[in-house]
Amino acid sequence: MLAPDTSLGPYRILSPLGAGGMGEVYRARDTRLDREVAIKVLPADFAKDADRLRRFEQEARATSSLNHPNILIVHDLGTHDGAPYIVSELLEGEELRAPLNHGALTLRKALDYAKQVASGLAAAHEKGIVHRDLKPENLFITTDGRVKILDFGLAKLKRQPMRAAVDSEAPTALPPQTDPGTVMGTVGYMAPEQVEGKEADHRADIFALGVILYEMLTGRRAFEGTSAVAVMSAILRDEPEELTAVNEKIPPQLERVVRRCLEKRPAQRFQSASDLGFALEALSTPSGSRLETATVLPAVTGGPRVRRRERWAWIIAAVSVVALLTALPFAIAYFWRDRAEVRAVRAFILPPEKSSFNFTGNNAGPVAVSPDGRRLAFVATTAEGKNLLWVRSLDALAAQALAGTEGASYPFWSPEGRFIGFFAQGKLKKIDAAGGPALTLCDAPQGRGGTWNRNEVIVFAPNNTGMLYRVSASGGAPSAVTQLDEARGEVSHRWPCFLPDGEHFLYLGGGLGLDEGEAAAIYVTSLESPGSKLLLQASSNVVYALEHLLFLREATLFAQPFDAKRLETVGDAFPIAEQVQDVSGFARGVFSVSEQGVLAYQTGSAMGNSQLTWFDRNGQPRGVLGDLGRYNNLQLSPDGKRAMVSITDPQTRRPDLWLIDVASGNRRRFTFDPAAERSVHWSPNGSRIVFNSNRKNHFDIYQKAASGEGSEELLLESKLDKYPSSFSPDGRLLLYFMADPKTGLDLWVLPLGGGRQPFPFLQTEFNESGGQLSPDGHWIAYQSDESRRNEIYVAPFPGPSGKRQVSTSGGSFAKWRGDGKELFYRAPNNKLMAAEINGQGATFEVGAVRPLFEIRRGGQGSVYGVTADGQRFLVNTAVEQKSSAPITLVQNWTAGLKR
């Protein structure tokens, strides 16, 4: 037993939490990130047991590869005095076993818990991980009602072979590599194939969840006996007592779901946890809130004839109901039709009391109309400065804030209008529109929009660069659904929107200049086809409703007739609203529309919304530099006396580079080309500026004297977009990253002498960017999304082997302190982080990593500069624009349109 204040690396033990067959568990504090964690330690004596050690390490590997709200998050793995330990999130609550000791749960709770477990299992199964020891003791209920699956110590990867096993040790199972005749799992919750020692796949977890659901509904075990052998015999031969015989309030539809889980033969169970989750969700929908409506379950093979007859009966009943519901609106329209002329009706929606709309701030907007046109979802800022997701019913007098949505951005609705998808803290999340916990679906470091179809597929943009991805609405591992087109110079796909068929979707595609107002285009593609079709030129998101595409051009909202079956425009575009908010920094307009003819938008201008502000290490403001402006790509000179920024002209919407004198605040224009100049970097002695410009239709790298005198020199030209990021200390090498549609973002080195033949430093299947050479020239800090979110890594230069990971919870835009003893970066929650760096030359060690202060990020690209001593920071700070403009609401917006 470890005593309080014992240190395990950076973790300080606070108190014991419990002990079990796999080790002792402690409450501890992570001194680097100042948070409490849970640590499971395998005692040193147990570590000598190769079998136990293998199980312990297997638990760590399996769990750490999962990232889902219903699975315990593993942070770290280490060793203390020969004893290995796992560091995980600290949970507050109790095991499911605790409430079950008092009897059955309510029907609502049992369904809710089962759905959450099914969602977690679906995510694990997608990665090939099977739990194989699911039981109430391994399900933890947090104080806010979230279920967490614990202890993947018996999990195995599907692709690994498994030998048959049987054993009499019942309470806890043994590891996958056991002797023949070993049982894996816990008696009472094992599937028949586990009892028989056969190979068990993910359907064994479905059986176990069925047993747990049975117990939650009845308060008793599904399979009982006076000994372990008797219980195993019951699992193989007996059927549990009918649920309705134990609890008459249980509906027959739920009885069928549980029976399907408990089929003896795996082929007759649900074939995936996602299918099971869908069936449970269907029983919990508002239309089925009393659990009296029929639920069509996924078909299985090999079922008895009576089950086939039962399925046909349900299908016929469902078809009859669908026919009735389809005819009903036409009958109502016939008997109650209003022959009066339909006109557009306008209204205005004000922000919630003591709050302001936040549609044009940092990644916050826009408004989203529900599919039925009866509700609005939007982000608003409270008096305390919190950005929250709100829902406003159009027949209500006030909006309701949704707890747990702080930092929300870009909301979008599920097709039936029950859930809202959104982005926050570098994740794609969803939440019930009526309130409840916000559930994380997957990583999305810099989300750029999502759309949701009736097959529970979400298509979304996880980053401001890269392809679109699809993910199940229950969460899991995303997969790409679009491919960047090299010939078009594409670097970013964003703002997807499903068409009515749920297969085809629209999206905006273009280069990195999208964030600077660069011209782009709207395309249409499908979930099953990698190809895409050009529809029209635009530089904003697009939505489809009532046979029209809606999009923004120069702050004017246009509608263009569109045939959704032939996937082509069938008429000219025409304006329907003027002066609509155009968030050019994100290529997004503040508008939304529903199929019921409800249009919502906000007027105004989003330009001039940031201020260059000085901060000390404690986050205290120490003055401002210059006036308000549309600043991007901030770079402080090596001596800290000048700053270079990109400033977007509010009239032309084109960015140019400007030099600002730190002492006086005076600024002067540095580039005068009508093209867009964006990424910029200073030479080590501050005498030269390198930048990129798309004056030749692709971003090439140029050089110019920092004094502004003389002509510009073209350093590197090619058909791919290139972005300079840092010099070597002697100024002879330039590090840059290049956007290649085939391989993503790669790090390259350009020698500035001789033949200037560039060579790759890091070229992988992942996106690597923002490379920063250390002051001694031996290390390169960069960001990479190889873990499906941007993290900061450091690799030796000139060879990339032997890299170290610096950030553990996401990071971007690394910068070195002048002496190389600290590395700064921005975390996904906009905290400015500082990592201590120990060692020089070939030695490198990451010390304590601590947050300094939160950045209110304004603009794009690099948003901060740091003085050489690491004591002062110049930050491109967003200025909250408390918009007084209401939401303009137009019902029947198509009324009067010429067709």
Side-chain angles (χ1 to χ4, degrees), residues 788-816:
R788 304 204 66 83
R789 68 179 176 193
N790 282 330
E791 297 281 8
I792 298 297
Y793 299 86
V794 173
F797 183 75
S801 60
K803 67 180 179 183
R804 278 80 157 170
Q805 183 172 342
V806 178
S807 65
T808 57
S809 300
S812 58
F813 295 103
K815 295 181 186 292
W816 294 92

Side-chain angles (χ1 to χ4, degrees), residues 634-635 681 725-726 735 737 769-774 779-784 790-795 804 806-807 810-817 822-827 832-835 837 844 861-866 873:
L634 168 65
Q635 291 289 346
H681 201 79
S725 57
S726 75
L735 191 64
F737 59 97
S769 61
Q772 299 288 305
L773 270 158
S774 61
W779 300 90
I780 291 181
Y782 64 95
Q783 65 192 48
S784 172
N790 282 330
E791 297 281 8
I792 298 297
Y793 299 86
V794 173
R804 278 80 157 170
V806 178
S807 65
S812 58
F813 295 103
K815 295 181 186 292
W816 294 92
R817 198 169 79 185
E822 258 188 322
L823 186 64
F824 305 99
Y825 65 90
R826 182 174 60 81
L832 184 64
M833 309 294 290
I837 304 301
F844 186 91
S862 173
V863 295
Y864 76 96
V866 56
F873 301 85

Side-chain angles (χ1 to χ4, degrees), residues 43 204 212 249 308 312 452 467 524 684 697 729 821 848 879:
I212 294 169
K249 294 182 180 180
R308 289 198 295 269
W312 276 111
W452 194 328
M467 303 169 289
V524 62
N697 297 321
K821 294 183 178 181
V879 176

Side-chain angles (χ1 to χ4, degrees), residues 77 175 364 407 545 585 641 723 730:
L77 178 67
K641 295 181 179 181
Y723 300 82
D730 59 9

